Amino acid sequence: MACRIFIENPPPFKQAPRGEGRALVDVPIEEGVETVRHYLDLRVRVAGLHHSDLDRYEVKRRGGITPSERYDSFDYVHVLKRNLHSFFGLLVPHRVVVYETPEAQEPGFRGLVEAGITSVVLVGKPYNVPPEGSFYRTTVEDMLTYLRVRVPALANNLGVIGIHVRQGEPERIANKFEAAGGELRVMGQFMDDADAMIAFMDRLAQEFERRNLELSGVEWNVGLAIFALKKEAFYATLLRQDSLACEDRFQGLESVEARIAESVRMNLEFAERVREKGEQVGLDIGFSIQPLIERRPDGSLHPAIYGAAELAKALERRFS
């Protein structure tokens, strides 16, 4: 079985601190194109790239600060499509869909199809109660059904985010699978422990069996992060945790290079265990490599980019 690998490549920030004084400067959207071209120059073979959409309400509520603004994920993927003439993989933009009605969002999705972009990942509500200053106007399930009917060119390439440690996640995935019409791509949150993901896969298989659904219709791309920074709290916050289960593996590793090398080793171990479990339960397992940081303060490429490329090549050697 071929090894399916995606790399997460978020849209660039519109402004970023650069130089010795860390002053905010305008960043062109083309900086993201340069990043992607670097992956291609490194001869990384991937099924596609996926491009996260920042939920500003969630970030502000979680961190207590107004986040820096990134370029719109749909605008970004259009720029990539126009500029990456030699790239034949998938471009998969994410879209937070819960703050507008399906009807209001339909033109944006139709614009993707007109540009030849036919894969999307829908992102839902971060909390049961809307963050202050916002209103929920639809759900991921309703949007999946709406797009399947109204924009049929997307019907076989609809995706969602999967958070394997979230309570009730097997039921959520099953609901979204049904709303999508029996085919669903999942971009998984990155792992800091393989045991939790393996336990989740058992629960997911049981839920699909209980509801007489075909688990083979789910494509789950397991998140594998490059833990390049010494600040473990940064990564724990992204997982909504106080600490990382894998912290011990990085103790005493002072250099970025050492942390990246350990990230590659650890994720290969995770990948082997999860892939084996997927074969046991009948779940199609691929991988979503997430560098999580792409640029240094001076604007140069961060070594995490090279770590992501190294991991992609190691996964291909191991599973292809």
Side-chain angles (χ1 to χ4, degrees):
M1 183 185 298
C3 183
R4 183 180 60 252
I5 300 170
F6 289 90
I7 292 181
E8 183 182 45
N9 164 243
F13 288 107
K14 291 185 176 181
Q15 290 189 316
R18 295 286 163 81
E20 291 184 6
R22 304 296 300 276
L24 281 177
V25 300
D26 293 335
V27 177
I29 196 169
E30 288 77 14
E31 182 175 274
V33 180
E34 178 189 337
T35 302
V36 172
R37 282 183 173 146
H38 197 73
Y39 280 122
L40 302 182
D41 289 343
L42 291 172
R43 306 295 184 186
V44 177
R45 296 178 59 185
V46 295
L49 304 163
H50 66 107
H51 316 285
S52 53
D53 189 19
L54 186 68
D55 187 327
R56 294 172 60 80
Y57 294 109
E58 180 185 8
V59 174
K60 184 175 181 180
R61 179 166 168 177
R62 189 191 304 176
I65 58 173
T66 300
S68 300
E69 186 177 0
R70 289 187 181 272
Y71 284 98
D72 179 86
S73 58
F74 281 13
D75 290 344
Y76 179 53
V77 80
H78 279 294
V79 171
L80 291 177
K81 184 69 173 180
R82 289 195 298 268
N83 285 277
L84 299 177
H85 305 296
S86 62
F87 179 66
F88 300 103
L90 298 176
L91 297 173
V92 188
H94 297 206
R95 175 62 89 201
V96 177
V97 297
V98 293
Y99 300 113
E100 293 183 292
T101 64
E103 292 79 9
Q105 298 180 73
E106 183 179 336
F109 287 95
R110 288 194 175 278
L112 293 179
V113 172
E114 291 168 2
I117 302 162
T118 57
S119 297
V120 293
V121 168
L122 308 187
V123 184
K125 57 186 182 181
Y127 307 101
N128 290 329
V129 177
E132 183 178 356
S134 67
F135 300 92
Y136 293 148
R137 302 187 187 279
T138 191
T139 65
V140 168
E141 289 84 353
D142 287 345
M143 197 70 190
L144 287 167
T145 300
Y146 184 90
L147 291 175
R148 180 164 55 86
V149 175
R150 295 285 299 172
V151 191
L154 297 173
N156 295 325
N157 291 287
L158 294 169
V160 299
I161 298 296
I163 304 176
H164 60 279
V165 296
R166 182 166 56 181
Q167 186 175 4
E169 190 71 352
E171 294 82 0
R172 287 188 179 90
I173 294 299
N175 292 340
K176 292 168 183 175
F177 177 82
E178 290 182 311
E183 288 188 54
L184 186 67
R185 171 177 291 129
V186 181
M187 293 298 183
Q189 186 177 56
F190 68 85
M191 297 186 295
D192 64 341
D193 172 35
D195 290 342
M197 182 63 194
I198 289 170
F200 163 77
M201 293 163 71
D202 277 327
R203 297 195 301 273
L204 183 66
Q206 292 165 7
E207 179 65 18
F208 269 61
E209 183 178 8
R210 184 183 71 82
R211 293 165 67 160
N212 198 29
L213 301 175
E214 292 293 333
L215 189 59
S216 60
V218 177
E219 172 195 300
W220 194 289
N221 299 292
V222 176
L224 304 174
I226 302 298
F227 297 91
L229 302 179
K230 289 180 65 176
K231 299 177 181 178
E232 285 91 355
F234 167 74
Y235 301 106
T237 299
L238 295 178
L239 295 175
R240 299 187 183 182
Q241 299 174 180
D242 294 329
S243 61
L244 295 175
C246 60
E247 274 188 8
D248 288 349
R249 297 191 65 144
F250 294 91
Q251 291 299 314
L253 301 181
E254 297 297 325
S255 72
V256 170
E257 292 75 15
R259 297 178 64 82
I260 289 175
E262 182 58 30
S263 295
V264 172
R265 283 191 293 269
M266 180 181 71
N267 280 312
L268 281 174
E269 294 171 15
F270 288 174
E272 288 186 357
R273 294 184 60 197
V274 172
R275 178 103 160 186
E276 181 180 1
K277 186 64 177 181
E279 293 175 355
Q280 291 177 6
V281 302
L283 180 61
D284 180 9
I285 293 293
F287 304 102
S288 161
I289 301 176
Q290 301 169 23
L292 300 178
I293 180 170
E294 294 184 329
R295 295 278 169 172
R296 291 181 182 273
D298 64 1
S300 63
L301 291 169
H302 193 277
I305 293 287
Y306 301 97
E310 181 183 347
L311 178 56
K313 292 176 181 179
L315 288 168
E316 184 182 5
R317 289 193 299 269
R318 174 61 184 84
F319 296 114
S320 295

